Amino acid sequence: MNVVVVNNFDRMSEEVAKIMQTQISRKPESVLGLATGSSPLCVYRLLGEYHERGLDFSQLTTFNLDEYVGLAPDHPQSYRYYMEENLFSKVNVNKAKTFVPNGVAEDLEEECRRYEDLIKQAGGIDLQILGIGTNAHIGFNEPGTEFGTITQVVDLAPSTIADNSRFFDSPEEVPTQAISMGIKSIMKAKNIVLMANGGSKADAIAAAVKGPVTTKVPASVLQLHPSVTFVVDQAAASKL
Ligand code: F6R
Protein backbone atom coordinates (compact mmCIF):
# COMPACT_ATOMS: atom_id res chain seq x y z
CA MET A 1 0.00 0.00 0.00
CA ASN A 2 1.42 3.32 -1.11
CA VAL A 3 0.47 6.32 1.09
CA VAL A 4 1.09 9.80 -0.31
CA VAL A 5 0.63 12.62 2.20
CA VAL A 6 0.11 16.07 0.71
CA ASN A 7 -0.45 19.49 2.25
CA ASN A 8 -4.10 20.13 1.56
CA PHE A 9 -7.25 19.42 -0.47
CA ASP A 10 -5.97 21.19 -3.58
CA ARG A 11 -2.75 19.18 -3.67
CA MET A 12 -4.68 15.95 -3.05
CA SER A 13 -6.94 16.79 -5.98
CA GLU A 14 -4.00 17.58 -8.28
CA GLU A 15 -2.28 14.34 -7.35
CA VAL A 16 -5.37 12.22 -8.07
CA ALA A 17 -6.21 14.13 -11.27
CA LYS A 18 -2.65 13.53 -12.52
CA ILE A 19 -2.90 9.79 -11.83
CA MET A 20 -6.14 9.73 -13.84
CA GLN A 21 -4.60 11.81 -16.63
CA THR A 22 -1.68 9.38 -16.88
CA GLN A 23 -4.05 6.41 -17.01
CA ILE A 24 -6.19 8.01 -19.74
CA SER A 25 -3.14 9.08 -21.80
CA ARG A 26 -1.51 5.65 -21.57
CA LYS A 27 -4.72 3.75 -22.32
CA PRO A 28 -7.40 5.95 -23.91
CA GLU A 29 -9.92 3.07 -23.82
CA SER A 30 -9.51 2.63 -20.05
CA VAL A 31 -12.35 1.55 -17.81
CA LEU A 32 -12.54 3.94 -14.87
CA GLY A 33 -14.36 3.42 -11.58
CA LEU A 34 -15.65 6.74 -10.26
CA ALA A 35 -16.78 8.10 -6.90
CA THR A 36 -19.04 11.01 -5.97
CA GLY A 37 -19.21 13.12 -2.80
CA SER A 38 -17.13 16.14 -1.88
CA SER A 39 -13.68 14.51 -2.07
CA PRO A 40 -13.41 14.22 -5.91
CA LEU A 41 -15.11 17.54 -6.77
CA CYS A 42 -11.90 19.39 -7.54
CA VAL A 43 -10.43 16.32 -9.29
CA TYR A 44 -13.32 16.49 -11.76
CA ARG A 45 -12.85 20.24 -12.23
CA LEU A 46 -9.18 19.63 -13.07
CA LEU A 47 -10.08 16.85 -15.52
CA GLY A 48 -12.36 19.37 -17.25
CA GLU A 49 -9.36 21.70 -17.54
CA TYR A 50 -7.14 18.92 -18.87
CA HIS A 51 -9.80 18.21 -21.48
CA GLU A 52 -9.77 21.87 -22.56
CA ARG A 53 -6.02 21.43 -23.05
CA GLY A 54 -6.54 18.34 -25.22
CA LEU A 55 -7.04 15.27 -23.00
CA ASP A 56 -9.38 12.95 -24.89
CA PHE A 57 -12.11 11.11 -22.96
CA SER A 58 -13.96 9.76 -26.00
CA GLN A 59 -12.89 6.13 -25.72
CA LEU A 60 -13.34 5.71 -21.96
CA THR A 61 -15.89 3.59 -20.18
CA THR A 62 -16.86 4.66 -16.65
CA PHE A 63 -18.65 2.92 -13.80
CA ASN A 64 -19.79 4.76 -10.71
CA LEU A 65 -19.58 3.07 -7.35
CA ASP A 66 -23.09 3.72 -6.20
CA GLU A 67 -26.47 5.40 -6.49
CA TYR A 68 -29.22 6.17 -3.99
CA VAL A 69 -32.29 3.95 -4.17
CA GLY A 70 -35.36 6.01 -5.04
CA LEU A 71 -33.61 8.96 -6.69
CA ALA A 72 -34.21 9.28 -10.44
CA PRO A 73 -31.27 10.31 -12.65
CA ASP A 74 -32.66 13.86 -12.94
CA HIS A 75 -32.91 14.31 -9.15
CA PRO A 76 -30.33 16.96 -8.19
CA GLN A 77 -28.97 14.78 -5.38
CA SER A 78 -28.71 11.63 -7.47
CA TYR A 79 -25.21 10.50 -8.32
CA ARG A 80 -26.03 10.38 -12.05
CA TYR A 81 -26.95 14.06 -11.83
CA TYR A 82 -23.75 14.79 -9.85
CA MET A 83 -21.63 13.08 -12.53
CA GLU A 84 -23.34 14.97 -15.37
CA GLU A 85 -22.90 18.28 -13.54
CA ASN A 86 -19.34 17.82 -12.37
CA LEU A 87 -17.64 15.74 -15.03
CA PHE A 88 -19.56 14.28 -17.96
CA SER A 89 -20.80 17.65 -19.26
CA LYS A 90 -17.25 19.08 -19.05
CA VAL A 91 -15.43 16.43 -21.11
CA ASN A 92 -16.00 14.56 -24.39
CA VAL A 93 -16.90 11.26 -22.77
CA ASN A 94 -19.26 8.99 -24.75
CA LYS A 95 -22.40 9.17 -22.56
CA ALA A 96 -23.47 5.69 -23.72
CA LYS A 97 -20.36 4.34 -22.02
CA THR A 98 -20.95 6.05 -18.66
CA PHE A 99 -22.66 3.75 -16.17
CA VAL A 100 -24.29 4.59 -12.85
CA PRO A 101 -26.61 2.09 -11.15
CA ASN A 102 -30.28 2.88 -11.73
CA GLY A 103 -31.70 3.69 -8.30
CA VAL A 104 -35.27 3.65 -9.59
CA ALA A 105 -35.11 0.32 -11.44
CA GLU A 106 -38.31 -1.70 -11.02
CA ASP A 107 -36.32 -4.78 -10.05
CA LEU A 108 -33.37 -3.62 -7.97
CA GLU A 109 -31.86 -7.11 -7.59
CA GLU A 110 -31.86 -7.50 -11.37
CA GLU A 111 -30.29 -4.05 -11.72
CA CYS A 112 -27.45 -5.14 -9.41
CA ARG A 113 -26.82 -8.28 -11.48
CA ARG A 114 -26.97 -6.24 -14.71
CA TYR A 115 -24.45 -3.73 -13.34
CA GLU A 116 -21.96 -6.37 -12.23
CA ASP A 117 -22.28 -8.04 -15.68
CA LEU A 118 -21.66 -4.74 -17.44
CA ILE A 119 -18.40 -4.29 -15.53
CA LYS A 120 -17.36 -7.81 -16.49
CA GLN A 121 -18.29 -7.26 -20.16
CA ALA A 122 -16.21 -4.07 -20.21
CA GLY A 123 -13.19 -6.16 -19.19
CA GLY A 124 -13.04 -5.02 -15.55
CA ILE A 125 -11.95 -1.71 -14.05
CA ASP A 126 -8.45 -0.43 -14.79
CA LEU A 127 -8.43 2.38 -12.24
CA GLN A 128 -10.90 2.70 -9.38
CA ILE A 129 -11.20 6.05 -7.57
CA LEU A 130 -12.48 5.90 -4.00
CA GLY A 131 -13.37 8.29 -1.22
CA ILE A 132 -13.77 7.00 2.34
CA GLY A 133 -16.56 7.49 4.84
CA THR A 134 -15.89 8.72 8.37
CA ASN A 135 -16.86 5.14 9.32
CA ALA A 136 -14.29 3.82 6.77
CA HIS A 137 -16.88 2.71 4.22
CA ILE A 138 -15.81 2.41 0.58
CA GLY A 139 -18.57 2.77 -1.95
CA PHE A 140 -21.54 2.34 0.36
CA ASN A 141 -20.09 -0.81 1.88
CA GLU A 142 -20.75 -0.02 5.50
CA PRO A 143 -18.93 -1.61 8.48
CA GLY A 144 -19.85 -5.28 8.74
CA THR A 145 -20.11 -5.83 4.97
CA GLU A 146 -18.60 -9.16 3.94
CA PHE A 147 -15.49 -8.93 1.74
CA GLY A 148 -17.05 -11.31 -0.82
CA THR A 149 -19.91 -8.98 -1.79
CA ILE A 150 -20.65 -7.85 -5.34
CA THR A 151 -23.05 -5.09 -6.46
CA GLN A 152 -26.05 -5.14 -4.13
CA VAL A 153 -28.73 -3.08 -2.42
CA VAL A 154 -27.39 -1.81 0.90
CA ASP A 155 -28.81 -0.08 3.95
CA LEU A 156 -26.96 3.13 4.72
CA ALA A 157 -25.47 3.39 8.22
CA PRO A 158 -26.99 6.08 10.47
CA SER A 159 -23.60 7.87 10.45
CA THR A 160 -23.60 7.91 6.62
CA ILE A 161 -27.13 9.34 6.55
CA ALA A 162 -26.01 11.99 9.05
CA ASP A 163 -22.82 12.78 7.04
CA ASN A 164 -24.70 13.03 3.75
CA SER A 165 -27.60 15.08 5.12
CA ARG A 166 -25.48 18.17 4.35
CA PHE A 167 -26.42 17.73 0.69
CA PHE A 168 -30.18 17.58 1.44
CA ASP A 169 -32.64 20.06 2.97
CA SER A 170 -33.22 17.78 5.97
CA PRO A 171 -31.89 14.40 7.25
CA GLU A 172 -35.34 12.87 6.56
CA GLU A 173 -34.80 13.43 2.82
CA VAL A 174 -31.61 11.34 2.68
CA PRO A 175 -32.40 7.96 1.13
CA THR A 176 -31.85 5.06 3.52
CA GLN A 177 -30.70 2.60 0.85
CA ALA A 178 -28.36 2.57 -2.11
CA ILE A 179 -27.11 0.28 -4.82
CA SER A 180 -23.38 -0.13 -4.28
CA MET A 181 -20.63 -2.05 -5.95
CA GLY A 182 -19.50 -4.66 -3.42
CA ILE A 183 -16.12 -5.05 -1.77
CA LYS A 184 -15.23 -7.87 -4.15
CA SER A 185 -16.25 -5.74 -7.17
CA ILE A 186 -13.93 -2.98 -5.94
CA MET A 187 -11.06 -5.35 -5.14
CA LYS A 188 -11.14 -6.71 -8.71
CA ALA A 189 -10.00 -3.33 -10.08
CA LYS A 190 -6.43 -3.46 -11.39
CA ASN A 191 -5.41 -0.24 -9.63
CA ILE A 192 -7.09 1.66 -6.82
CA VAL A 193 -6.64 5.24 -5.62
CA LEU A 194 -8.32 6.34 -2.40
CA MET A 195 -8.43 10.02 -1.51
CA ALA A 196 -9.24 11.65 1.80
CA ASN A 197 -8.97 15.10 3.27
CA GLY A 198 -9.76 16.71 6.60
CA GLY A 199 -9.52 15.72 10.24
CA SER A 200 -12.91 13.98 10.18
CA LYS A 201 -11.30 11.21 8.08
CA ALA A 202 -8.19 10.77 10.31
CA ASP A 203 -9.54 7.84 12.36
CA ALA A 204 -10.82 6.04 9.26
CA ILE A 205 -7.48 6.48 7.45
CA ALA A 206 -5.44 5.28 10.44
CA ALA A 207 -7.65 2.21 10.87
CA ALA A 208 -7.61 1.43 7.15
CA VAL A 209 -3.82 1.75 6.79
CA LYS A 210 -2.47 0.54 10.14
CA GLY A 211 -5.26 -1.42 11.73
CA PRO A 212 -6.14 -5.09 11.35
CA VAL A 213 -7.93 -6.15 8.18
CA THR A 214 -11.50 -6.50 9.40
CA THR A 215 -15.02 -6.11 8.06
CA LYS A 216 -15.51 -3.56 10.88
CA VAL A 217 -13.25 -1.24 8.84
CA PRO A 218 -14.26 -1.83 5.22
CA ALA A 219 -11.34 0.17 3.75
CA SER A 220 -8.85 -2.05 5.62
CA VAL A 221 -9.48 -4.71 2.94
CA LEU A 222 -7.40 -2.53 0.61
CA GLN A 223 -4.28 -3.71 2.49
CA LEU A 224 -4.81 -6.99 0.61
CA HIS A 225 -4.83 -5.38 -2.86
CA PRO A 226 -1.59 -5.41 -4.90
CA SER A 227 -1.89 -1.87 -6.30
CA VAL A 228 -3.40 0.72 -3.98
CA THR A 229 -2.42 4.35 -3.46
CA PHE A 230 -3.90 6.47 -0.68
CA VAL A 231 -3.64 10.21 -1.37
CA VAL A 232 -4.39 12.01 1.88
CA ASP A 233 -3.92 15.53 3.13
CA GLN A 234 -2.07 16.26 6.38
CA ALA A 235 -5.25 16.49 8.44
CA ALA A 236 -6.51 13.11 7.24
CA ALA A 237 -3.03 11.64 7.82
CA SER A 238 -2.70 13.10 11.32
CA LYS A 239 -3.29 9.77 13.11
CA LEU A 240 -1.02 7.66 10.92
C1 F6R B 1 -19.39 8.08 -3.13
C2 F6R B 1 -19.02 6.99 -2.24
C3 F6R B 1 -18.66 7.22 -0.81
C4 F6R B 1 -17.85 8.51 -0.57
C5 F6R B 1 -17.57 8.70 0.91
C6 F6R B 1 -16.84 10.00 1.18
O1 F6R B 1 -19.68 7.63 -4.42
O2 F6R B 1 -19.03 5.87 -2.66
O3 F6R B 1 -17.93 6.12 -0.33
O4 F6R B 1 -16.67 8.44 -1.30
O5 F6R B 1 -18.77 8.70 1.63
O6 F6R B 1 -17.67 11.06 0.85
P1 F6R B 1 -17.14 12.57 0.84
O7 F6R B 1 -16.15 12.64 -0.26
O8 F6R B 1 -18.36 13.41 0.54
O9 F6R B 1 -16.54 12.81 2.18
Side-chain angles (χ1 to χ4, degrees), residues 21 44-57 87 89-92:
Q21 179 188 35
Y44 294 148
R45 193 172 50 70
L46 289 169
L47 290 179
E49 288 175 20
Y50 296 165
H51 171 62
E52 278 171 28
R53 282 187 251 131
L55 187 64
D56 179 26
F57 289 70
L87 182 64
S89 61
K90 314 278 191 239
V91 297
N92 66 334

Side-chain angles (χ1 to χ4, degrees), residues 34-40 64-66 79 130-134 137-140 160 164 166-167 180 197 201:
L34 301 176
T36 59
S38 37
S39 307
N64 268 79
L65 282 165
D66 36 30
Y79 287 162
L130 296 174
I132 185 169
T134 52
H137 71 206
I138 47 176
F140 276 137
T160 298
N164 289 4
R166 69 190 191 277
F167 299 112
S180 177
N197 68 284
K201 301 287 173 74

Side-chain angles (χ1 to χ4, degrees), residues 1 10 13 17 19 22 24 45 55 58 62 67 78 80 104 126 141 147 151 161 175 202 223 225 235:
M1 188 182 261
D10 286 346
S13 305
I19 294 170
T22 303
I24 298 167
R45 193 172 50 70
L55 187 64
S58 66
T62 68
E67 178 61 284
S78 77
R80 165 58 78 176
V104 291
D126 292 303
N141 296 290
F147 290 163
T151 303
I161 294 175
Q223 292 178 30
H225 192 281

Side-chain angles (χ1 to χ4, degrees), residues 8-218:
N8 54 37
F9 178 74
D10 286 346
R11 297 236 65 86
M12 174 197 80
S13 305
E14 280 166 22
E15 194 69 30
V16 174
K18 280 193 197 128
I19 294 170
M20 295 179 77
Q21 179 188 35
T22 303
Q23 174 72 38
I24 298 167
S25 305
R26 279 204 195 129
K27 186 178 174 190
E29 70 285 9
S30 289
V31 180
L32 301 182
L34 301 176
T36 59
S38 37
S39 307
L41 274 175
C42 179
V43 172
Y44 294 148
R45 193 172 50 70
L46 289 169
L47 290 179
E49 288 175 20
Y50 296 165
H51 171 62
E52 278 171 28
R53 282 187 251 131
L55 187 64
D56 179 26
F57 289 70
S58 66
Q59 296 182 62
L60 291 180
T61 303
T62 68
F63 287 94
N64 268 79
L65 282 165
D66 36 30
E67 178 61 284
Y68 288 119
V69 166
L71 297 196
D74 61 354
H75 188 291
Q77 298 309 334
S78 77
Y79 287 162
R80 165 58 78 176
Y81 191 95
Y82 170 108
M83 290 310 301
E84 296 290 340
E85 279 285 295
N86 293 298
L87 182 64
F88 299 155
S89 61
K90 314 278 191 239
V91 297
N92 66 334
V93 73
N94 175 354
K95 293 275 171 70
K97 286 164 74 172
T98 64
F99 298 97
V100 181
N102 177 7
V104 291
E106 240 171 65
D107 184 340
L108 292 172
E109 304 301 327
E110 176 54 32
E111 173 62 8
C112 294
R113 276 192 293 275
R114 186 188 75 93
Y115 202 70
E116 196 72 29
D117 280 351
L118 283 169
I119 299 174
K120 209 179 285 166
Q121 281 163 28
I125 290 170
D126 292 303
L127 174 63
Q128 174 67 56
I129 304 300
L130 296 174
I132 185 169
T134 52
N135 65 1
H137 71 206
I138 47 176
F140 276 137
N141 296 290
E142 303 287 22
T145 307
E146 294 297 328
F147 290 163
T149 49
I150 58 173
T151 303
Q152 61 175 350
V153 177
V154 297
D155 293 327
L156 300 181
S159 64
T160 298
I161 294 175
D163 285 348
N164 289 4
S165 66
R166 69 190 191 277
F167 299 112
F168 292 81
D169 290 336
S170 70
E172 292 72 42
E173 283 179 37
V174 186
T176 56
Q177 287 191 313
I179 293 177
S180 177
M181 278 167 56
I183 303 258
K184 190 170 167 196
S185 331
I186 292 170
M187 288 293 278
K188 277 196 209 153
K190 294 180 190 83
N191 302 285
I192 298 178
V193 171
L194 182 147
M195 72 183 104
N197 68 284
S200 68
K201 301 287 173 74
D203 285 325
I205 289 296
V209 173
K210 294 196 308 189
V213 176
T214 163
T215 57
K216 288 183 198 151
V217 180

